[in-house]
Every structure is written in structure tokens, then in C-alpha cells.
Amino acid sequence: MNAPFKTPADPLDAPLWDLSDLYSSREDARIETDLARARALVGELNSLQGRLAAAQGDAAVLGERLDRAITLYEQASDLLGGLGAYAFLAASTSRNDAAAQGFEATVREKITAIATPTVWVTLEINQLEEAAVEAALAARPAAARWAPWLRRTRAMKPHELSQELETFLAERMPISAQWPRLFDETLAALKVKAGRDELTLAEALNRLSDPKPARRRSAAEGLDEALGAKAATMALVLNTVAADKALEDRWRGFRRPADARHLSNEVHGESVDAMAEAVAAAYPVLSHRYYALKAKVLGKPKLDQWDRNAPLATTAPRGYDWAAGKALVLESFGDLGGEFADRAQGFFDKPWIDGKARPGKQSGAYAHPVTSDRHPYVFLNWMGERRDVLTLAHELGHGVHQTLAAGQGSLLADTPLTLAETASIFAEGLTFDRLLKTAPEAEKRGLLAGRIEDGLNTVVRQIAFHRFETRFHDERAKGEVPVERIGEIWLEEMGGSLGPAVTLNPGYEHWWSYVSHFVHSPFYVYAYAFGDLLVAALMETRAKDPAGFTPLYRQLLADGGSKGYVEALAPFGLNPRDPAFWTIGTRRLERLIDQFEALV
């Protein structure tokens, strides 16, 4: 199953995806056809404007009109979502292609022009009396299925603006999106000098896990220089995105920068704060303790920051070609049942995965759900390392979740971030368990270290990111934050999370500038920690009754966003409102560190 380790330059047989299920090319005639179909659906939808409010006195009529309006809204969203997905997916593998980037921007503008006239839908729904909505859903059973979407829509009521302002904000979105575009194109064009090599960002970050200290240091110092050269541009992008967000937040009446995200996640800000504080309080027994142990294993008084993810052995770690990684992940999915493995297999067969790392392709990984009437696509940069196997499992977890939830329809399949990372982190955990179980004794310490580091990166590091982001936005409210100050905040938060056993070498102050979530999805990052701690509780539950767990877990995924996270976890006997819930995950990670310490 395991192949000799190969260099990152080797494609390792990783696939390229086939987007023809969406469109064959940028010239595909179906693009204009679908734009016209979407315009027609929007026209039909807009003929209902004013008729929802007019029917408040007749429950049956209001129920029928709500059902029709929301159905048309979803159908139009599906068409436009497929168009937007194709443009984004094609552009993300060609960030060095001006035509691909221009096409994505143009499609985004066309989508906005078609969709913007529908802003009245949620505004008019939120003008309805609660009693009238409840009566309408009771009178029209077909409309009752939209209750979860209506709940989320009506939660936004206190923060909605006039139709004119909502229209303005919607029309402005493609223009605001040029800042994330600048961010992506800048990073895609980044060239990192590491010794005699010139690396992409993805290749340089991957080299930080190289077994040879000199190669790690060379890559880190190359990143210091490359990111430092772009730091002023990235600071401008980050400041502008934050100011743009703050302006809209102020008009909408959000008190804190993260509140809009909390609302969309259907979670109270106080709960997120409590989670972040609990993780920060655990820094000493988690990251501080582990990195001190790792420094001891590596024979160093302190780790340099580029040693954070270093393998424990100086020999080349076990590598995985694409076939080996695929087999291991599918076997892990099979541990939950044949259906999970079969759904994952479909991504390889079609192919719906783009795994080959190459110039112009953006760094990172994602699973794009497209729409419920289409299939998802998975994106990653395969380098043949253990972390790539776990990344493949992570993104396929998302993909399988998206296929299971598709039966809900796009509006109800859309999962809030509080549950969005559940399937991905769970799949990653299953895959690691299989890696550890099948590894020779001599490799188990290194694998255990890797699992701990993945946990620290998902929980501790993401909370440190969240705290950095919170502090930055708070300071941005008082005026533009200079690049030097951004670096200071970064060093303070990262230093606090890593602890005294890690040296933050000069140049590391620029490394905030490659974290895409800060620009693309402000305040997204806490969802990773939320999801990891939630999954830890689910895994503890599964250990008690694996057979009984699987159908409950399948239902949780198939429900998509039709239930809030508290309701979704109730069948497992878990209560995330209980502060003790969050300690299940931190203690699970602490036990792994106990095991590691016993092997040191």
C-alpha cells in the first residue's frame, strides 16, 4: 500500500478534475442559456412581490405563496450557484491566467445583476407576523418543509436594512470581491527561494515538514522574505476588507465584528467566547507542554518556528502515492459502513477531485458543494505525505456530507459552520486511527506526534487565529492598522499559543499574510476548533456503541442545515450548551500528549 517517498515536484498520479458536468468551457453555450433561465425564474419570483404581505389574513393562500416563492428562489439560486461554482473552480486552478480570473469576475457580476432584484423576498418574509407564518405552514404542509430556512431568515430581521440599501449592498458585492481576488492572485504568483529551489507557496509550506532541518529553515527564511515583500499589499487588503465589513456591520447594528458570523452559525457569541477562553486556558497543558517535549526529542533547548511540524526522525518519512492514499482513506470511510465508502469512491471514479499541485493553482484545500442538484468537487495539493492523506480524508468528509444532505435541497442542505466541519474532522480522525493501527511499532511515536500536531493546529492554532483576528478588527475600528502593528498582534497571539519552547524567528511577523480565511471569510476560523471539539465528543460516543452510532451519525449529516447544532446533537446525548462539553475534546488531546510523553 505504501510507496517510497517522492519529491513534491512529482505529480504522484494525483488527478485533475473534470468540470464538464457543469460546463465544457468558458465558451459553452449552456452558460448563456442558464443565465436566461435564471432571469426567467427571477421574473416569475418577482411577480409575487407584495403578494405575501397581502395574504397575511388567509393562512392557506399565504402558505401556497410562501411555498411558491421559496421554491422559485431555490431554483434560481441553483442555476446561479452552478455558474458561480464553475467560474470559481476553474479559476482556482489557474490563478496565473488572466482570462480565467476575468471570466470569474464577469460571471460574478452577471449573477449579482440577476439575483439582486430578489432582495425583497427575505425583507417581505420578515415583515410577516410570526403567528401568520405559523398558521400558513400549518395550513400548507408542502410549505412546512421550509420552516428551518424561515427560522434562519427571520433571525436576520433585526439587522435588515431598507430595500434600497440591501440592493446597494448586493450590487456592491462583486466590487468588494476584488480584494480577495487580489489576495489570491498575489499568493498564487508568489515565488519562494529556498536554497537553489524556487517554490510555490504550497510547496514551501510543505517543505516545513521536511525531515532535514536545513531544508526546513531554508523554506521558512524564503517565506519570510517572500511574504515580507508582499506584507504592505496584504495589509492594505486586510484593512480594506475589515473596514468594508465594519461599515456594513454598523449599518446593520451588529455590536461586535464577529456577531454577523455568529448569527449565520446560529450560535451565541458568548458560547464562542467561552470556547476560545477554555482553549486558551488549556495552552499550558496542551501546546506549551507538547512543544517542550518535542524540543527534548529533537535534542534542542527550544524549537525554531520552522520545527513546529518537523518529523521526529531525520530519515524521509513514509510517503504515499495517490493510489495508496486513496485506498487508505476509502478503508477508513468503510469503518463507518459501506455507504460512506461508496459515496467517497464516486469522487475518484468521475473524477471530481483535483489533487495535482502545479504553478498557478492556489494553495490549500476545500470541498465545494456547488448546489444540491449537482455534485461537489474536492480540491487539494497532493504532495504524498501523511498530512496529505489526512487532508484528502478531511475534504472527502465534506464531500460525503454534502452528498448526504443534498436531498434537503440547496437552501436546507446549507450547513452552518457549527456543524460544517463535523464530517470532515470525523473522517480525518478515522483515517488517523487506521494509520496508527496499521503502523509498525517504530513509526507509532512519529504518527502520534503528527496526530497531536494536527489537533493543536485545528484547535489551539485556530483559536489563536481567532484571537488575532478579533484584536485586529477591534483596532481597525479606530483607524487603519499599520503592517508593523499587524505583525505585533500576530506575534503576541502566536507566541502565547505556542509557548516558551518555540522561538518565533525574525520574519515570522509576516506569516499572517497567507491565511486566506482572514480575507475570504472573516471569523470563520473558530469553526475548526468548534468542529474538532464537537467531533471529539462524537468519537467518545461512538467508542461506546459503534453499531448504534452509525445510523445516528448518518442522519445528522443527511439533515444538513435543517437543524441547529443543539438539536442535531441531542440524539447522541450531548449538550454543547454545557461548559463541560468543550473539555471532552481538550482532555482527549491531553491524553494523546500523555501517551506521547510515555514514549519520550
Side-chain angles (χ1 to χ4, degrees), residues 1-2 320 323-345 348 386 388-397 400 423-439 447 451 539 542 546 549-550 553 557:
M1 178 181 291
N2 297 314
Y320 300 85
K326 168 186 170 181
L328 200 152
V329 169
L330 289 175
E331 289 166 5
S332 302
F333 276 62
D335 290 340
L336 272 175
E339 181 188 5
F340 289 89
D342 290 344
R343 287 179 179 271
Q345 179 73 51
F348 297 97
R386 177 193 60 84
D388 298 316
V389 176
L390 295 177
T391 297
L392 177 61
H394 182 104
E395 301 306 338
L396 276 175
V400 168
S424 54
I425 296 172
F426 199 96
E428 196 175 332
L430 286 175
T431 303
F432 171 77
D433 288 346
R434 179 167 286 273
L435 276 169
L436 187 62
K437 184 178 179 180
T438 59
L447 277 172
R451 183 63 182 128
M539 285 193 143
R542 178 176 181 262
F549 175 87
T550 295
Y553 180 68
L557 302 186

Side-chain angles (χ1 to χ4, degrees), residues 415-484:
T415 308
L417 294 184
T418 43
L419 291 171
E421 295 297 330
T422 302
S424 54
I425 296 172
F426 199 96
E428 196 175 332
L430 286 175
T431 303
F432 171 77
D433 288 346
R434 179 167 286 273
L435 276 169
L436 187 62
K437 184 178 179 180
T438 59
E441 253 339 284
E443 294 182 12
K444 287 192 174 179
R445 188 178 71 165
L447 277 172
L448 189 60
R451 183 63 182 128
I452 292 167
E453 288 166 18
D454 289 341
L456 294 178
N457 287 337
T458 304
V459 177
V460 170
R461 185 170 173 82
Q462 298 302 327
I463 289 302
F465 282 1
H466 175 67
R467 289 162 63 94
F468 161 80
E469 197 172 16
T470 300
R471 288 181 61 188
F472 167 76
H473 279 261
D474 286 346
E475 291 200 16
R476 181 64 183 91
K478 303 169 187 174
E480 186 164 308
V481 184
V483 64
E484 296 81 8

Side-chain angles (χ1 to χ4, degrees), residues 8 31 35 73 156 211 280 314 323 344 368 395 407 456 483 502 511 515:
I31 292 174
L35 285 168
Y73 188 86
M156 188 64 181
T314 56
H368 197 304
E395 301 306 338
L456 294 178
V483 64
V502 179
W511 284 44
V515 182

Side-chain angles (χ1 to χ4, degrees), residues 120-291:
W120 69 268
V121 175
T122 56
L123 293 173
E124 188 164 329
I125 285 173
N126 283 340
Q127 291 171 5
L128 302 175
E129 296 295 330
E130 190 66 35
V133 173
E134 291 178 3
L137 300 188
R140 174 81 173 184
R145 70 180 298 265
W146 301 116
W149 184 80
L150 287 166
R151 182 190 70 238
R152 295 202 301 268
T153 297
R154 290 173 71 79
M156 188 64 181
K157 182 176 181 177
H159 304 285
E160 284 183 334
L161 305 173
S162 67
Q163 185 167 339
E164 291 78 11
L165 280 174
E166 293 290 356
T167 299
F168 168 74
L169 290 173
E171 290 180 343
R172 191 189 62 173
M173 283 179 62
I175 300 168
S176 298
Q178 297 306 302
W179 292 103
R181 175 185 173 183
L182 173 61
F183 177 91
D184 287 341
E185 292 182 11
T186 301
L187 290 183
L190 206 69
K191 299 297 181 184
V192 180
K193 293 181 180 178
R196 297 179 180 178
D197 299 329
E198 187 175 78
L199 309 175
T200 64
L201 175 62
E203 290 168 340
L205 292 171
N206 182 71
R207 192 167 287 189
L208 298 176
S209 300
D210 195 280
K212 295 182 179 179
R215 282 168 62 83
R216 294 196 302 272
R217 177 172 184 167
S218 171
E221 291 178 344
L223 280 165
D224 293 340
E225 182 178 352
L227 294 174
K230 300 297 182 183
T233 298
M234 297 314 218
L236 175 61
V237 170
L238 194 61
N239 269 284
T240 306
V241 167
D244 193 41
K245 181 184 186 308
L247 179 63
E248 182 172 338
D249 283 350
R250 186 164 64 251
W251 276 88
R252 293 195 182 280
F254 287 114
R255 187 171 58 88
R256 301 190 306 173
D259 282 352
R261 179 68 69 187
H262 298 331
L263 182 65
S264 67
N265 287 343
E266 298 184 88
V267 65
H268 292 103
E270 292 78 8
S271 298
V272 176
D273 292 343
M275 178 189 69
E277 289 167 11
V279 172
Y283 285 171
V285 297
L286 297 177
S287 48
H288 296 188
R289 177 186 170 207
Y290 172 74
Y291 290 124

